[in-house]
Amino acid sequence: MTLEVMGVLNITPDSFSDGGLFTEKSAAIAQAKQLVQDGATILDVGGESTRPGAARVSIAEEISRVVPVIEAIKDLGAAVSVDTMNSETARAAIAAGASIINDVSGGLNDPAIFQVAAETGSKLIISHWRGHSDQMDSLNQYESIGKDVTSELQTQVNLAKAAGVSNIVIDPGLGFAKDADQNWQLLDELDELQKLDLPILIGASRKRFIAARLTEPDTVEARDRATAKLMHELLAKHRLWGIRIHNVKALGLRQN
């Protein structure tokens, strides 16, 4: 199985590490080209920040952010994913050229997203999630995090399949309703998720639990180095479908 490398392209003013950098279409296109050059096989375009405490945006605003960029980058040689939890945005993004729906809410925010994935034949990434950014930090009670996350993912997978979705990837939802220690514990228990016998995506890039174990000052560059190190360690232990990362170059996949 070839590893998919999902390069993050945030078309948002308020994402925690790159908010505002790619809100201009020309900047977004340039970043997309760089991500592909560095080894990205998927470009994940998001128009709403999911950082802790982030404010929601209207669906109309989200669509206006992502659709023009998707239309502009769909022929760069990488698949395009839309990072959204809204079915209307997902439908518009697929019409614009995306082929993957990356729903961090796993269908909990808007269950109609299952129907969109089924009707369009899109790949659907179902993440573990318990609530929006303004409340997720209070929703981190688990009896056994590996088993609980797996069970909750199974519920959403079953709903997706019942709606007719056949191409599913799962994501443990690192950083969502999990504190730093719980994230690390969940990574230690990835074997639980593998019992679902579905492709697994890991999105750990630049997250708070990465920063919690830094042995150097907390900077974007330090988080990138730590993320790359973690990804290589996980890939040595587990058979993953893909990894989601802001700085693809830090992985050292290609010599530019």
Side-chain angles (χ1 to χ4, degrees):
M1 181 171 62
T2 302
L3 177 71
E4 299 288 357
V5 179
M6 180 180 281
V8 179
L9 189 58
N10 287 321
I11 317 300
T12 55
D14 57 345
S15 292
F16 68 93
S17 66
D18 56 5
L21 294 181
F22 310 119
T23 51
E24 293 295 327
K25 184 177 175 182
S26 58
I29 294 170
Q31 177 65 2
K33 290 178 177 178
Q34 185 64 56
L35 289 168
V36 173
Q37 181 180 345
D38 292 338
T41 60
I42 301 170
L43 297 168
D44 192 39
V45 182
E48 179 179 10
S49 175
T50 54
R51 66 175 174 78
R56 301 300 310 278
V57 301
S58 70
I59 292 173
E61 175 65 21
E62 184 185 30
I63 290 173
S64 73
R65 290 175 180 179
V66 301
V67 164
V69 172
I70 290 171
E71 291 174 338
I73 67 173
K74 63 184 179 181
D75 297 320
L76 293 182
V80 177
S81 169
V82 60
D83 178 359
T84 184
M85 59 180 74
N86 298 309
S87 62
E88 290 180 53
T89 304
R91 192 179 294 279
I94 297 300
S99 59
I100 303 168
I101 301 168
N102 180 18
D103 181 1
V104 299
S105 83
L108 285 167
N109 177 73
D110 181 358
I113 208 163
F114 296 144
Q115 183 178 355
V116 174
E119 290 177 356
T120 60
S122 305
K123 186 186 298 293
L124 177 64
I125 301 172
I126 295 177
S127 293
H128 179 262
W129 186 86
R130 286 182 165 181
H132 289 288
S133 298
D134 59 350
Q135 58 177 323
M136 65 181 181
D137 285 347
S138 65
L139 302 173
N140 63 348
Q141 289 77 42
Y142 300 90
E143 290 186 13
S144 173
I145 192 163
K147 288 183 170 61
D148 291 354
V149 167
T150 299
S151 175
E152 290 170 32
L153 279 172
Q154 180 71 76
T155 297
Q156 297 309 109
V157 167
N158 290 345
L159 291 171
K161 288 182 176 179
V165 183
S166 58
N167 199 344
I168 297 172
V169 174
I170 54 173
D171 182 332
L174 297 170
F176 294 95
K178 302 165 189 75
D179 64 27
D181 289 341
Q182 288 170 332
N183 284 297
W184 288 107
Q185 184 178 354
L186 183 54
L187 287 173
D188 287 338
E189 298 178 15
L190 279 183
D191 288 345
E192 288 293 332
L193 269 72
Q194 291 177 325
K195 293 177 182 177
L196 297 182
D197 196 27
L198 288 167
I200 296 174
L201 171 72
I202 296 293
S205 186
R206 297 180 179 174
K207 293 195 172 179
R208 289 180 297 174
F209 79 96
I210 294 279
R213 291 195 178 181
L214 287 176
T215 57
E216 58 182 310
D218 183 11
T219 63
V220 169
E221 292 76 17
R223 292 194 189 194
D224 282 344
R225 287 189 291 271
T227 298
K229 181 176 182 291
L230 173 61
M231 291 300 98
H232 284 292
E233 290 173 352
L234 289 175
L235 290 169
K237 296 178 182 177
H238 302 282
R239 190 177 184 187
L240 302 177
W241 172 82
I243 57 178
R244 183 179 184 275
I245 192 165
H246 294 80
N247 186 344
V248 175
K249 189 174 183 178
L251 291 172
L253 298 173
R254 294 182 181 174
Q255 298 296 321
N256 295 321

